Amino acid sequence: MSTCENQINLGTWELTESWFNKYLISVGDTSPEYVEYRIVPAIAISALVIGALLKRLKLPSGTIHSLQDIDTIVPVNIGESLTGNAEISQTRRRGELKFITVIYSVNNADGEEVQVGRSTVLVPQESVN
């Protein structure tokens, strides 16, 4: 990911056993493989990213999350610490909507990239100045 003025620090996440169990319960996932192999679902990491993006971008009410692409590079285990960074890669208008596309990367404590992705949100025109 390039460095520019659109860089967004998403923070650090500790993927504790407690967090992992709460996540699986909240989404109703009963797949035994995650528990047996102590692997964090890729979508759980993406959910952390989206949550942080929503806070950092301060998107208005009525915003719609319309697209999510995820590329998992290496599996993430329970107990790992991750950091995320994002960058606004594109903004455009179409009719009454503003499209904002963000690319992101997530690294483990060793600095190894574990997941990259792209997310697009649609912001209603009345919210856009």
Side-chain angles (χ1 to χ4, degrees):
M1 184 179 313
S2 64
T3 303
C4 73
E5 68 272 359
N6 290 332
Q7 195 76 23
I8 303 164
N9 179 338
L10 300 175
T12 300
W13 305 286
E14 300 295 330
L15 306 183
T16 65
E17 186 92 31
S18 174
W19 169 85
F20 173 77
N21 290 329
K22 287 177 187 175
Y23 173 81
L24 290 181
I25 290 168
S26 71
V27 298
D29 194 335
T30 58
S31 302
E33 295 83 9
Y34 295 128
V35 175
E36 182 179 344
Y37 297 107
R38 301 186 53 79
I39 300 282
V40 175
I43 197 72
I45 297 166
S46 181
L48 292 170
V49 168
I50 296 303
L53 275 172
L54 291 173
K55 289 178 186 172
R56 301 300 191 288
L57 294 177
K58 297 181 174 124
L59 297 169
S61 176
T63 297
I64 301 166
H65 181 230
S66 69
L67 174 72
Q68 183 68 46
D69 291 324
I70 301 169
D71 185 13
T72 299
I73 300 161
V74 296
V76 173
N77 296 307
I78 300 168
E80 288 194 51
S81 176
L82 303 178
T83 58
N85 288 291
E87 179 180 311
I88 297 173
S89 68
Q90 185 177 35
T91 59
R92 62 196 181 286
R93 291 182 191 269
R94 183 175 293 154
E96 297 294 313
L97 296 172
K98 180 178 181 182
F99 290 66
I100 302 172
T101 300
V102 175
I103 56 173
Y104 72 86
S105 67
V106 177
N107 292 31
N108 63 20
D110 294 329
E112 180 181 23
E113 200 167 54
V114 298
Q115 187 180 95
V116 295
R118 178 177 62 141
S119 186
T120 300
V121 295
L122 310 176
V123 182
Q125 182 65 33
E126 65 268 6
S127 301
V128 179
N129 295 322

